[in-house]
Amino acid sequence: MVVLVSGGAGYIGAHAVRALQSAGHTPIILDNFSTGHREFTAGFVCVEADVGDTQAVTAAVKKYGVEAAMHFASFINVSDSVHDPRSYYDNNVASGIRFISALSAAGVKKFILSSTCAVYGVLQDIRPLTENDAINPINPYASCKRMLEVVLTDYAAAYGFSSVLFRYFNASGAQADQGIGEWHEPETHLIPNILRAAMSKGKAPLKIFGNDYPTGRTDGTAVRDYIHVSDLARAHVAGMDYLREREGCFTFNLGTGNGASVLEVLQSAEKALGLRIDYEMHPRRAGDAPFLVADSSLAHKELGWRAQQSDLESIVKSAAVWEEKLATLRNRH
Ligand code: UDP
């Protein structure tokens, strides 16, 4: 299939583009390069435009014969979304709806949304989340994703515009051999920040945000489910195949089912890299949930998908190879 990939020059989108191509599909990247990287698009067809640009999206669908779309383009910083919700609702919701509507009007009927486990918010009990758990977004970033989920549910029922909503847990790792990995400016994510703390050799210790979370674990740091970005990319190909055979709106969690606290991730990184990494404790970060771990059995049952490359040490090792490459790339900028 010819698949339009918004945000294909970003972290997860770039991995999905390569997974699509390896599976025999034709990805067309749509990116406005506000945060994406031209380096990630080399060798692929790329349309430089905003997802909210209806004319550009319609023209791309016609020109390339687009049959399906994946939507990765969005602002992703939870803390920024708390302090500046307007730009999040404008960019992630208003432009996102324009994108979906333009595709629908142009006759595209298959769509995959990059959503988030943050739509679940704070659970009263400590256990993996299923797709049937209550929805309660606790920050504007998560509310934006939830709003697009609702729009897509209604579009499926009214227009036969079918979609898969993937609620990712913590995307991590990289395909450094393909020249792609996590590259955010500024970087806020845990694993790259651990690696940078390691590279600083004690000069810039890792800041850990909060050690008083109720997680059922003694260290009190927040628990997350880290999933390798290659596993996520593979799920998108499976999601596309799933939509070939059925109509509707389908939601799947994508995670490993294994939670790790911030301190446990740090310890895995120390083991993987064979060195000590300094850290310091700070107060909680705005908008963070204590415990987010996936029950992904539905994705396994329906898509035949499960995480295969997501043990923490492999994730950290792949991210470390990428961080070294990235240090060179960032020096060139
Ligand atoms: N975190 C941290 N220090 C950092 C970055 C993240 O302690 O430099 C914590 C953060 O508070 C959260 C967890 O690590 O509890 C994962 O954060 P990340 O930003 O990687 O992903 P999120 O779960 O927010 O999407």
Side-chain angles (χ1 to χ4, degrees):
M1 279 200 285
V2 180
V3 185
L4 189 64
V5 184
S6 86
Y11 172 44
I12 306 174
H15 286 80
V17 162
R18 281 143 187 91
L20 281 168
Q21 193 176 52
S22 304
H25 298 291
T26 305
I28 310 288
I29 295 171
L30 173 72
D31 207 294
N32 67 2
F33 293 101
S34 61
T35 56
H37 306 288
R38 290 183 197 278
E39 289 88 340
F40 290 2
T41 66
F44 294 95
V45 176
C46 181
V47 176
E48 184 168 352
D50 196 277
V51 291
D53 182 341
T54 300
Q55 263 189 336
V57 172
T58 309
V61 170
K62 281 212 184 102
K63 179 169 178 190
Y64 297 107
V66 169
E67 299 163 273
M70 296 185 179
H71 185 36
F72 296 93
S74 88
F75 291 163
I76 59 152
N77 187 312
V78 168
S79 182
D80 285 353
S81 81
V82 173
H83 297 111
D84 179 18
R86 186 172 50 215
S87 61
Y88 273 70
Y89 287 114
D90 190 31
N91 186 66
N92 293 7
V93 181
S95 293
I97 294 174
R98 278 205 297 280
F99 182 48
I100 293 163
S101 293
L103 291 167
S104 170
V108 175
K109 286 193 178 297
K110 299 178 200 333
F111 187 87
I112 296 191
L113 176 69
S114 151
S115 189
T116 172
C117 61
V119 298
Y120 294 114
V122 181
L123 262 191
Q124 292 315 310
D125 39 350
I126 304 295
R127 58 169 174 78
L129 291 150
T130 75
E131 294 81 357
N132 294 327
D133 271 302
I135 298 297
N136 183 24
I138 60 165
N139 55 59
Y141 164 74
S143 295
C144 290
K145 292 287 190 187
R146 178 59 192 157
M147 287 176 189
L148 289 191
E149 290 188 355
V150 172
V151 168
L152 287 165
T153 306
D154 292 343
Y155 276 38
Y159 311 128
F161 185 82
S162 294
S163 54
V164 164
L165 317 179
F166 278 136
R167 293 182 182 151
Y168 310 154
F169 284 62
N170 283 58
S172 44
Q175 287 179 8
D177 57 334
Q178 306 252 346
I180 51 175
E182 202 160 4
W183 182 0
H184 304 119
E185 305 282 358
E187 186 52 76
T188 60
H189 292 104
L190 179 63
I191 292 177
N193 282 353
I194 288 177
L195 296 169
R196 288 174 197 192
M199 288 194 280
S200 83
K201 300 198 166 60
K203 284 194 201 111
L206 174 74
K207 293 180 177 166
I208 295 184
F209 301 121
N211 63 348
D212 57 351
Y213 282 108
T215 61
R217 301 189 187 203
T218 49
D219 72 46
T221 58
V223 171
R224 296 286 183 275
D225 183 340
Y226 294 88
I227 171 122
H228 198 291
V229 64
S230 306
D231 279 333
L232 290 182
R234 218 166 21 81
H236 287 72
V237 177
M240 207 89 269
D241 287 341
Y242 193 75
L243 288 178
R244 280 181 163 181
E245 292 153 17
R246 43 185 77 64
E247 288 184 5
C249 182
F250 309 93
T251 304
F252 301 106
N253 286 341
L254 296 179
T256 66
N258 300 314
S261 73
V262 174
L263 277 172
E264 286 165 353
V265 178
L266 184 78
Q267 281 153 12
S268 291
E270 290 185 328
K271 204 162 150 217
L273 305 177
L275 42 87
R276 285 289 308 275
I277 303 169
D278 293 325
Y279 67 89
E280 50 193 35
M281 284 298 171
H282 287 254
R284 293 181 182 193
R285 193 171 68 174
D288 278 353
F291 184 95
L292 289 167
V293 174
D295 178 336
S296 295
S297 43
L298 188 65
H300 181 55
K301 182 170 159 262
E302 291 295 311
L303 306 175
W305 174 91
R306 66 156 49 114
Q308 291 173 348
Q309 294 172 248
S310 292
D311 67 288
L312 262 180
E313 272 187 61
S314 314
I315 286 177
V316 172
K317 279 185 185 153
S318 76
V321 179
W322 164 248
E323 269 297 322
E324 276 195 30
K325 284 200 175 181
L326 181 57
T328 317
L329 279 172
R330 289 170 88 213
N331 280 341
R332 276 197 224 135
H333 275 253

